[in-house]
Each structure stands twice: as structure tokens, then as C-alpha cells.
């Protein structure tokens, strides 16, 4: 148990070392971390790599801005939104867009577990909750 | 008897002629062979017999009679006392019956008042219960009505939103969507 805890802490530190100054995952640093793990015993290395992968996935989710939209949206608006949320979270965000016709019109932006939405379907849902 | 009369007359005439009383007595009882010694002896014997009879027969009988008289007197007095006690007892009994009658009337009056109070309380309880039932029924009806209204409102809202979804999804032009998206991006950027 104590060993698992130490391995997780070690993997967490490795995941932090793999981030660049803006909070994005740096592939070069990841390569360097993987190279440094070559000297560990196979069994410990496997557990460290699994925990390291999980922490990297968490960091990747925290660095990703997913914008779902219905209809066209200009790159200027998307960039303004990304800059605003990056400033709010204090780290660089990687922008990803996805068409979602269920929104009818409008946007739904999500960073990790936080969701920001301004869409027709959301407003209709609020209206339904208010009336119901 | 007729033979003695001439003898007594002769003796009387002889004693009257001598003059001494003792001689007269002797002349009188002489023909009867009464001698003083025998007479005194007879008197003494009679006295002794009379005394014996008195001490051993009459006196116990008199004592028994006195005792019987005392017992009879005691019995009569006891009977009188018993009659007085009976009279007192009857008087007390009459008083007790009178008191019991009064207490019985009082108990009946209290029981009647209690029964009246119980009946009034039962009536009030029944009225209160009926009012509670009516209130609960009204509340249940109101709640059910409110529930139906809520259900209706929810169904109407669902229907309206579903209709709005279909209409907006079909009717919005790309330009309108783009304009809405720009507005939404501006809103999210502000927040």
C-alpha cells in the first residue's frame, strides 16, 4: 500500500515535469521521462507508467477546450473565448471544435468537468424547467 | 259434740266458783288431759321443727324466689333496654335511609351531569373530527388539483419546448445560427 502511494506520487511528479510553462504537455519532456524510466525494474516501471499515463490524461483533459456548436462560428470568436478561459484557468488551452446540431444554435464550451453553455437548446431546457 | 256441752258448762260453773285464773285454766283443760309439761314440750318441739323447716325449706325457697324475682326484673329491664335500643336503631336506620336517599339523589344528579357533559364532549369531538375530515379532504383535493395542474403545466412545457426545438431546428437559417453563435461566444467570453 505504501509502495503504491509512493509510486503514485512519483508518477505525479513525472507528469508535472512533462508539462511546459503554459501547462501543455511537452512531447520532448515526455520522451525524456520515458527514457529515465528505463533503469527501473520492469514491475515497478509498469506500475509507474500506468499511473503516469493516467495523470497525463488528466492534464490533457485540463488543457483541452472543447467547443461544441450548431452552425458556423468565426475563428475570432473562438480565439477570444479560448483566451478568456485560458486566463481564467491560468494555463494554455488547446482548442477543439465539434459540430452538435442538438444545440440548435449557440455554443457549449467544456474544460475538464466545467461546462459553459449558451445555446438555444439550453435556454429551452431552462424554460421547460421553469414552466415544469 | 253434744255430749261435751254439758261437761263444759259444768266445768265453767266450777271454775267460776273457785276464782284463780290458773285454777280456771286447769279446770278448763283438765278434762282435755292437757298438762303444762307436755304443752311446753310440744311448743318446744313445734318451735324446733318450725325453725328447721324455716332454715332448710322455707329460707332456700324464699332465696330461690328472690333470685327468680331478680332474674325476672333483670329480664324485664333487659327487654325495656332492648326496646329502647330497637327504637334507637330504627331511628338511626331511618336517618341512614334518609341520608342514603339524599346521597343517592346527589349521585344520580352528578351522574346525570357527567353523562350530559360526556354527551356534549362526544358531540364536540364528533364535530371536530368531521371538520378535520372535511379539511383533510379539501386539502387532499387541493393537493390533487395542484398536482394535476403541475402535471399539465409540465406536459405543456414539454410539448412547447419540443415544438420549439423542431421549429427552431428547422426554421433557423445559417446566418441566424452564425449570428447567435457570435452572440453566445461573446456571452461566454464575458462570463
Amino acid at each position: 500500500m505504501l509502495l503504491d502511494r509512493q509510486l503514485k506520487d512519483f508518477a505525479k511528479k513525472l507528469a508535472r515535469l512533462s508539462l511546459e510553462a503554459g501547462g501543455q504537455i511537452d512531447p520532448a519532456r515526455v520522451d525524456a521521462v520515458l527514457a529515465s524510466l528505463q533503469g527501473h525494474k520492469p514491475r515497478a516501471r509498469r506500475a509507474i507508467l500506468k499511473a503516469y499515463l493516467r495523470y497525463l490524461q488528466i492534464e490533457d483533459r485540463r488543457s483541452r477546450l472543447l467547443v461544441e456548436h450548431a452552425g458556423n462560428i468565426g475563428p475570432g470568436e473562438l480565439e477570444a473565448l479560448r483566451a478568456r478561459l485560458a486566463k481564467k484557468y491560468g494555463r494554455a488551452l488547446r482548442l477543439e471544435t465539434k459540430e452538435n446540431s442538438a444545440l440548435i444554435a449557440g455554443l457549449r464550451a467544456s474544460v475538464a468537468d466545467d461546462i459553459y453553455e449558451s445555446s438555444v437548446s439550453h435556454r429551452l431546457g431552462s424554460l421547460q424547467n421553469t414552466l415544469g | 259434740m253434744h255430749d261435751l256441752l254439758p261437761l263444759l258448762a259444768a266445768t265453767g260453773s266450777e271454775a267460776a266458783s273457785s276464782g284463780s285464773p290458773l285454777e280456771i285454766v286447769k279446770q278448763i283443760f283438765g278434762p282435755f288431759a292437757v298438762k303444762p309439761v307436755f304443752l311446753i314440750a310440744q311448743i318446744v318441739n313445734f318451735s324446733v321443727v318450725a325453725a328447721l323447716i324455716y332454715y332448710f325449706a322455707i329460707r332456700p325457697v324464699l332465696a330461690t324466689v328472690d333470685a327468680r324475682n331478680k332474674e325476672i326484673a333483670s329480664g324485664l329491664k333487659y327487654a325495656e333496654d332492648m326496646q329502647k335500643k330497637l327504637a334507637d336503631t330504627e331511628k338511626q336506620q331511618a336517618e341512614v335511609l334518609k341520608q342514603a336517599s339524599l346521597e343517592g339523589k346527589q349521585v344520580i344528579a352528578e351522574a346525570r351531569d357527567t353523562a350530559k357533559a360526556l354527551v356534549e364532549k362526544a358531540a364536540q369531538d364528533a364535530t371536530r373530527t368531521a371538520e378535520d375530515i372535511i379539511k383533510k379532504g379539501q386539502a387532499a383535493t387541493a393537493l390533487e388539483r395542484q398536482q394535476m395542474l403541475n402535471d399539465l403545466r409540465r406536459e405543456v412545457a414539454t410539448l412547447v419546448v419540443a415544438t420549439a426545438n423542431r421549429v427552431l431546428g428547422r426554421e433557423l437559417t445559417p446566418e441566424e445560427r452564425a449570428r447567435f453563435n457570435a452572440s453566445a461566444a461573446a456571452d461566454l467570453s464575458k462570463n
Side-chain angles (χ1 to χ4, degrees):
Chain A
M1 195 70 182
L2 183 61
L3 185 61
D4 290 345
R5 182 78 183 172
Q6 289 175 344
L7 288 176
K8 287 180 180 177
D9 290 342
F10 182 61
K12 201 169 188 177
K13 290 178 182 177
L14 292 178
R16 287 178 184 169
L17 289 174
S18 302
L19 302 178
E20 59 185 15
Q24 291 285 340
I25 298 173
D26 186 358
R29 294 189 180 204
V30 172
D31 290 340
V33 167
L34 293 177
S36 67
L37 290 176
Q38 294 295 327
H40 286 74
K41 294 179 181 178
R43 187 175 178 183
R45 186 172 63 212
R46 181 181 177 83
I48 292 171
L49 284 174
K50 287 178 70 175
Y52 177 63
L53 175 62
R54 192 167 65 250
Y55 285 122
L56 282 183
Q57 288 173 340
I58 292 171
E59 291 296 333
D60 181 62
R61 286 191 66 223
R62 291 174 61 189
S63 301
R64 185 181 68 159
L65 168 61
L66 175 61
V67 177
E68 298 174 63
H69 57 90
N72 294 328
I73 182 171
E77 286 87 2
L78 287 175
E79 183 56 31
L81 178 60
R82 190 192 64 78
R84 169 67 180 158
L85 293 177
K87 184 179 179 181
K88 180 177 182 179
Y89 285 98
R91 62 192 303 165
L93 296 175
R94 186 180 72 258
L95 177 64
E96 293 182 11
T97 59
K98 181 182 177 183
E99 178 77 19
N100 186 356
S101 60
L103 298 177
I104 303 175
L107 304 176
R108 179 188 293 154
S110 55
V111 179
D113 294 330
D114 298 333
I115 296 175
Y116 307 90
E117 183 165 357
S118 176
S119 66
V120 172
S121 65
H122 181 254
R123 292 184 184 182
L124 288 175
S126 299
L127 176 65
Q128 184 176 359
N129 290 333
T130 302
L131 295 175
Chain B
M1 189 69 180
H2 296 287
D3 296 336
L4 290 177
L5 289 176
L7 185 60
L8 283 173
T11 304
S13 60
E14 291 177 358
S17 62
S18 63
S20 175
L22 183 58
E23 288 298 328
I24 294 171
V25 170
K26 283 180 180 179
Q27 287 177 1
I28 292 173
F29 288 101
F32 292 101
V34 176
K35 295 180 178 179
V37 177
F38 291 145
L39 181 61
I40 292 170
Q42 288 292 331
I43 292 170
V44 169
N45 285 337
F46 179 78
S47 300
V48 170
V49 171
L52 289 174
I53 289 171
Y54 176 76
Y55 280 107
F56 293 106
I58 296 174
R59 194 175 175 187
V61 170
L62 291 176
T64 303
V65 169
D66 287 340
R68 291 289 173 88
N69 286 334
K70 288 180 180 178
E71 288 182 359
I72 290 169
S74 175
L76 291 174
K77 187 178 180 184
Y78 180 75
E80 290 179 358
D81 293 341
M82 287 300 104
Q83 283 184 349
K84 287 182 180 178
K85 287 185 178 179
L86 179 62
D88 293 340
T89 303
E90 287 178 350
K91 188 177 180 182
Q92 290 178 357
Q93 189 177 4
E95 290 180 355
V96 169
L97 286 175
K98 186 177 179 183
Q99 186 69 25
S101 175
L102 291 175
E103 291 180 355
K105 289 180 180 176
Q106 188 174 356
V107 168
I108 290 172
E110 290 178 356
R112 190 175 292 129
D113 293 341
T114 305
K116 187 178 179 182
L118 286 176
V119 168
E120 290 179 355
K121 187 176 183 302
Q124 291 177 355
D125 290 344
T127 304
R128 196 176 301 114
T129 303
E131 290 176 353
D132 290 343
I133 291 173
I134 292 172
K135 286 181 180 177
K136 286 180 181 177
Q138 289 176 345
T141 304
L143 185 63
E144 188 175 356
R145 182 172 174 273
Q146 187 64 37
Q147 187 69 33
M148 289 176 64
L149 286 175
N150 290 338
D151 291 344
L152 180 62
R153 187 183 300 163
R154 192 177 300 114
E155 288 180 6
V156 169
T158 302
L159 187 60
V160 168
V161 169
T163 305
N165 263 325
R166 289 181 184 174
V167 171
L168 290 173
R170 192 171 55 233
E171 298 297 330
L172 280 179
T173 63
E175 290 77 16
E176 289 171 337
R177 292 179 197 272
R179 199 161 51 245
F180 190 90
N181 287 347
S183 173
D187 287 343
L188 295 179
S189 297
K190 288 177 185 175
N191 297 329

